[in-house]
Each structure stands twice: as C-alpha cells, then as structure tokens.
Amino acid sequence: MATEAKRPKVDEVSELTPLHNFLLWCDQVGVVLSNKVYVSKEGTIAEYGMLAKDNIEEGEVLFTIPRSALLHQLTTNVSALLKEEKSLLESSSGWVPLLLALLHEYTSSQSHWKPYLSLWTDFKTLDHPMFWSKEERNELLKGTGIPEAVDTDLANIKKEYTDIVLPFIIRHPNLWDPDIHTLELYTQLVAFVMAYSFQEPQEEEEDDDEDEEEEEKVANPPMMVPMADMLNHVSSHNANLEFTPDSLKMVCVRPICKGEEVFNTYGQMANEQLLHMYGFTEPYPSNSNDTADIPISNLYKTIKQDIQSDLDQQLVEEKWEMLCQIQDKGAFVFGKHGCLTDTELHTFLKVLCMSKEEFSEFKENEGWEEDEDEEKISMALSNEGLPELKVSWKRLIHEAARQTLRSYRGGQEEGVDSDQELMQDKAALSKLNRRQQNALQVRHGQKVIIRRLMELTLS
C-alpha cells in the first residue's frame, strides 16, 4: 500500500492538452529529459508526477533545465522595470518582485511561460489551509499551530498587496490592471510560490578574519522551476535538485526501479509544515520528520502552579523576564527522537528550577561560567535521556505537554483518543474528505509525539 505524500488531484480532462503543450515547450526551451523517465498522472500518487521507464542508477541525471527557462524577477518580461523600481518593492517576505512577475506572466497571452503556467488554469487544485474557511481551520486544526500561522499569513498578504503591490500596479496600467490583478489572484499566487517554487542555496563563503562584523546573509529569492515542480515529495526521496552556473539538474540519489515514481524532497518537513505551505501531508507513520510544538507559555503556566507566596511569584517573574529576553521562539520543538530545540529547553529548565541563591549567582555571573556541552544536552533531552532527567525537570515537561494535548480538538489527554480510533478505522477514514484526512494526519502525528513525551517524563 502506498504511503507517499499526496498533492490534490487535478481534473482528468484538463490535464491532457496542457501537459502535451508544456512538454513541447520544454523541448523548445532546451529542457533535456532523460529517456528513462516520463511525466504522467497515471501511476503517480497525485496530480502530475514523474515515473521511471527503466531502472535508474544513483547519480544519473533525470533532466536538465537551462537557467533561461526559469521564471523569476530577472527573467520575466518586466524584469527591467522591477530592477529600476526595486526600492519600491521591498517587503518582509521578499517575494513581491517574483509575485509581480507572476501576476504579469500568468495573465499575458504572449508570455514566454504560458505553456508552463497553463498547467494551473485556476489554482483550484491548491488546497492550502489559507483557502479553507476560518471556521473549518479552527475546527479541524485546533491545537496544531496552523490556524494562527494562516491568520498571520493572510494579514501579511493583504498588507503587502494593499501597501506595496496595488500602488505599484496602478502606477503601471500598461502592464497590470487592478481589476484583473486582484488580492484574490495575488493570494493564489502566494500559495503557488509556497507550493512550487525553489530557492537556490547560499554559496558558502570563507570567513574573513579581518572583518569583525559579520554581515547578515540575505536568502536568495524564490524562483519557479518548470519540470522540477512536477515531482511529488516524500521524506524518503530518490532524487534531488542540484544547482550549477548554467543549469539545474535533477539527480537520482538512490536506485529507482522501472515503474517507480521519482520523488524530490522539499526539505525536512513535518506534516504541519507540509499542509501549511504545500496543501498535503504524508500518511502516518511515513513522515520521519514529523514534529510537535510545546508552547513556551505552557511551561510558564506550569511553573506558576507551584507559586505559594508573593516572594515565589516575584522570583518566577524575574526568571521568566530574563529567559524571554534570550529566547524569541514561541515553542519548544520535539521530533520522533527527542527535543530539536534542546539548548533552549535546557536553559529554561535549568533557570526555572534554580533556588533563589542559585539564580542570584547566575545573574551576577551573567550566565554560566563555562559553556554547556551541547552533545550532553542533546543526549539528555533525547528519548533515551528524558527518563533520567531530574524529577523537577521531568514534571515541568510533562505538565507542559499535558496542557498542550488539552489544546487539541476534543481536548483529550487521558484514555481513548478519537483521532487514534479514527486512524485505525479504515471504513470511517475513507469517508473523510481530503481536508479532514490531511488535518487528521497533522493532529494524530503531533499527538503521538506529545503522548510519547508524557510517557518518558512520567515521574
């Protein structure tokens, strides 16, 4: 039985002609496709995909895409204007130039990339939670962190469009039209970029000893890579995209047998990230990268339960204020094998469990005199090390995990979990719609990690 991640299916009829035109265009622009692979929907796990015609060995190049075929702010027909007025397009996302390029190219009948963009006739196949109703998000994804992330996304998208994009397109009516290039289309294109774009890795630069101030590296902007975005994702992928000065190459990273699907990877993505950014999930338990967040606020709620006097209250508040100054993340992240933010969690646990005298000494020394052994910390907060922690530390983690579990849909913490029952009931599972199934995969995967964490920290 296949357990790979699924992208939403496309309409059976609309695929044929657009796909044929796209493949002809690929040939015209110099995309070189190995004779051992082909693009299809039949036999793939979802939507378009790539299959092996023959056995493929590790290291073989599956296809090569010249950089001239990539779609981004430097290759678009409006690249000169975007470069000239670059200062007007600065935003926190850094995506505005690409999105303006896509707004123009997607609606232009003369676009060089029309055969490529025609694969997405109306973006109805995009099913990110940002396209669900707020009520549906809150009902199906409560506790997962996705509803809050989507609310932030939608607010940022609206602000970016209203403050930057709309004034710009009004300034250039010969290229854009506010009645066509609407907030709705802009939002769809944001989702399109989230799901299908690629970012070129930063080049490693040698350290300059003379330069004392290290400049903050700015991530390369995203780009659309025709053909590469036809591949579906699984965590146990068999191909990987490589970047060279002249082209991008999809290279086989482990043997692929004839008839098997070729899978790329979008990175080490938990199901929560996959659903939020790509609109799909990997069925449990195949996603080895699944994670669950324990909100820092739940640790605070737990430590406050032990307050017995005003002096205790003052000490807790002092500790918490100091910790929040050194930790800007909102949650501690746990994976299938332990804590992934172990250094931060270790600091919180150590400080919160200090006596008044220990905390005073800690403040006077402005921290620990010697750096902590990161390897020891990582081991201590792994699944193997958690049961051996101090009782006070285990209790904090356990209670924070319990409060996190309560935040999910239904709020179960003990006994039977309805999601677990549903996962084991194939008949009931088959009756769920796509959104319900994806939400279930996220909830269940996270709750399994949290329940395991509670077991390991039970005193």
Side-chain angles (χ1 to χ4, degrees), residues 407-418:
S407 69
Y408 283 85
R409 176 187 178 190
Q412 305 97 337
E413 59 176 89
E414 306 291 352
V416 177
D417 183 345
S418 59

Side-chain angles (χ1 to χ4, degrees), residues 39-52:
V39 179
S40 177
K41 189 175 73 173
E42 296 301 320
T44 61
I45 59 166
E47 202 176 342
Y48 302 111
M50 182 169 284
L51 295 166

Side-chain angles (χ1 to χ4, degrees), residues 71 102 105-106 111 113-121 192:
L71 173 51
L102 286 171
E105 300 290 350
Y106 185 72
S111 173
W113 289 272
K114 185 173 176 59
Y116 163 61
L117 294 171
S118 293
L119 292 170
W120 295 274
T121 53
F192 179 56

Side-chain angles (χ1 to χ4, degrees), residues 17-71:
T17 303
L19 179 58
H20 180 71
N21 289 337
F22 168 68
L23 294 174
L24 288 174
W25 176 83
C26 284
D27 191 49
Q28 292 166 5
V29 300
V31 174
V32 179
L33 193 65
S34 165
N35 58 12
K36 291 188 175 183
V37 295
Y38 65 102
V39 179
S40 177
K41 189 175 73 173
E42 296 301 320
T44 61
I45 59 166
E47 202 176 342
Y48 302 111
M50 182 169 284
L51 295 166
K53 289 183 184 177
D54 202 346
N55 294 336
I56 302 170
E57 297 300 319
E58 181 180 341
E60 288 192 54
V61 177
L62 307 179
F63 54 84
T64 303
I65 309 158
R67 285 190 176 265
S68 56
L70 307 180
L71 173 51

Side-chain angles (χ1 to χ4, degrees), residues 372-385:
E372 299 283 320
D373 187 324
E374 291 185 9
E375 192 173 329
K376 283 185 179 179
I377 291 173
S378 181
M379 181 59 199
L381 294 172
S382 69
N383 285 359
E384 292 76 19

Side-chain angles (χ1 to χ4, degrees), residues 348-398:
F348 267 72
L349 293 171
K350 190 163 186 175
V351 171
L352 289 174
C353 292
M354 282 178 178
S355 67
K356 184 178 180 180
E357 292 72 27
E358 288 170 333
F359 184 60
S360 295
E361 186 180 345
F362 177 76
K363 285 193 298 181
E364 286 173 13
N365 293 333
E366 296 183 348
W368 289 281
E369 293 181 0
E370 297 180 7
D371 290 337
E372 299 283 320
D373 187 324
E374 291 185 9
E375 192 173 329
K376 283 185 179 179
I377 291 173
S378 181
M379 181 59 199
L381 294 172
S382 69
N383 285 359
E384 292 76 19
L386 283 166
E388 307 305 320
L389 289 177
K390 296 176 184 177
V391 172
S392 58
W393 289 27
K394 286 198 291 184
R395 180 185 167 277
L396 278 179
I397 297 172
H398 184 86

